[in-house]
Amino acid sequence: MIAIELNILVGTMTGIAQLVAQEIELRLDGEGLSVHTLEMDELDPSVFDRNGLFLICTSTYGQGDVPDNAKDLYDALCALRPDLSHVSYGVIGLGDRTYADTFCFGGKRFDEILTQLGAKRIGEMMLHDASAGTLPEDDAADWIEPWIELCNERLGCEAEQQAAQN
Ligand SMILES: Cc1cc2nc3c(=O)[nH]c(=O)nc-3n(C[C@H](O)[C@H](O)[C@H](O)COP(=O)(O)O)c2cc1C
C-alpha cells in the first residue's frame, strides 16, 4: 500500500457514521496512510482543496435527505458548483431498506453532486442496510482495504499516463 492522505467526511444524526469512520481509522492504522476524520458541519466546499482522497461517510434522514449536519455542505456544493475535477472519492452510505424508495439517498445525493462537479468516484459505493443484521463498522472494515488498493491502482495508472504525456 502506498502512502496517501485520506479525508473522511462524516454526515450523521445519531453517530453511527462517526463509529464507521473511527473503525476505518483503526483498520488503516499502521498502513502508511494519514487519515483525517472531519465532521461535515464544520466544512464548506473548500475542504476539497485538501490533498488526498475523499471518503464520504453519511447516513440518510427525513425523506431521503442528507443528515442535518451535512445539509450546509451539500447545499453549498449544489449552489456554488465548484470545479472538483481534481477530486477522487468513495462513498459509504448508511441507510435502511425499510425506506425502500429512498434507500441510502444521503450517500447517493453526495455521489450525484460530486459527479456533476467533475469529481471521479473510485469503486462502487458501500451501501449499508440497517435492517440486514450486520454492523456498518464491520462491513466498512472489510470494504476499506480493497477500496484503498483500488485507489492506489487507479492513481498509479493516472500518474504513469501523465508521465508518458510529458
Ligand atoms: C427518522 C429516520 C429517517 C430515516 N430515513 C431514511 C431514509 O429515507 N432512507 C434510508 O435509507 N435510511 C433512512 N434512515 C435510516 C438511517 O439512515 C440509518 O439508521 C443510519 O444507520 C443512521 O446513521 P447515523 O447514526 O450516522 O445517522 C432513517 C432513520 C430515521 C431514524
Side-chain angles (χ1 to χ4, degrees), residues 10-18 57-65 67 94-106 128 130 136:
V10 176
T12 186
M13 208 76 119
T14 63
I16 295 175
Q18 181 69 37
C57 180
T58 184
S59 59
T60 307
Y61 275 86
Q63 295 179 334
D65 299 324
L94 304 186
D96 190 327
R97 282 208 190 270
T98 310
Y99 301 89
D101 294 337
T102 57
F103 177 59
C104 283
F105 266 32
H128 180 263

Side-chain angles (χ1 to χ4, degrees), residues 65-81:
D65 299 324
V66 301
D68 287 353
N69 85 322
K71 273 199 166 60
D72 286 353
L73 177 62
Y74 178 75
D75 289 348
L77 289 169
C78 295
L80 301 173
R81 307 193 70 80

